[in-house]
Amino acid sequence: MRDAYHEELDLLTDKLVEMTRLVRSAISRATTALLDADLALAESVISRDEEVNATFADIESSIFELMARQQPVAVDLRMVITALRMGTDLERMGDLAVHVAKVARLRHPDSAIPAETRSTIVEMGQIAENLVTKAGSCVASRDVDSALELEQDDDAMDRLHRRLFRNILAKDWQHGVEPAIDITLIGRYYERYADHAVRVAGDVVYLVTGSRPS
């Protein structure tokens, strides 16, 4: 009976790792759709968000059932609590990828990204993918040291976010208000995506040590 119980806990971890794969794919495809003004790709990001939501709903259902049947305590209780928190953050990351894709769809057939901001968006997309990949690895391995490293990657995302604002506020900005609003929103979506990835890693630290990183 206990073996089956711990298999269910392990299955929660597997589902969380699968969510990291789904939201990594979503932000990768959303970035490409944004940069290439690819409407079909943007639509696929938006439609496939249901897969992320369904996985999270499955995690929630499993957690509530475990709580009711097994009444977990100590480390097991931390596991189900952090699994719910991680799932919530990952579901939100999927939503943020959708927001990026919707900007691409809104501006199609034009690109929402002016030439002078393209390199920054490319870097933000790469960092977002790297963060969620690392977060997924941390969830699978429960590696505290790797989880703590995500803060440094998030600092890089914050620097790029500030760079976008400098571009928009520069005297030679020639694209008007609408592109400035698009860039502001897009930058915020990537910055928040990174924040949620760091929170997932922080939950790994809490799961293993019982305390949250400062």
Side-chain angles (χ1 to χ4, degrees), residues 8-68:
E8 290 182 79
L9 291 176
D10 290 342
L11 186 57
L12 274 181
T13 298
D14 293 342
K15 291 175 182 176
L16 288 167
V17 172
E18 177 61 18
M19 279 193 80
T20 67
R21 295 192 187 104
L22 291 172
V23 300
R24 180 188 182 280
S25 174
I27 198 66
S28 175
R29 290 179 293 117
T31 301
T32 300
L34 188 67
L35 293 168
D36 296 349
D38 188 326
L39 180 60
L41 193 57
E43 293 286 8
S44 77
V45 175
I46 296 165
S47 63
R48 288 186 63 184
D49 189 50
E50 285 301 317
E51 191 175 354
V52 177
N53 295 338
T55 305
F56 179 49
D58 191 23
I59 288 171
E60 277 190 312
S61 176
S62 297
I63 287 171
F64 295 148
E65 188 174 334
L66 278 169
M67 293 286 284

Side-chain angles (χ1 to χ4, degrees), residues 26-43 45 97 99-129 163-164 167 182-183 186-187 190:
I27 198 66
S28 175
R29 290 179 293 117
T31 301
T32 300
L34 188 67
L35 293 168
D36 296 349
D38 188 326
L39 180 60
L41 193 57
E43 293 286 8
V45 175
H99 292 335
V100 173
K102 284 183 175 179
V103 175
R105 182 175 68 177
L106 179 66
R107 300 304 172 206
H108 184 268
D110 298 320
S111 172
I113 308 300
E116 60 265 45
T117 62
R118 284 184 66 86
S119 63
T120 303
I121 297 300
V122 168
E123 287 186 66
M124 293 181 94
Q126 290 171 343
I127 290 174
E129 288 186 55
R163 185 196 296 176
L164 281 181
N167 287 336
D182 286 344
I183 292 296
I186 290 164
Y190 281 106

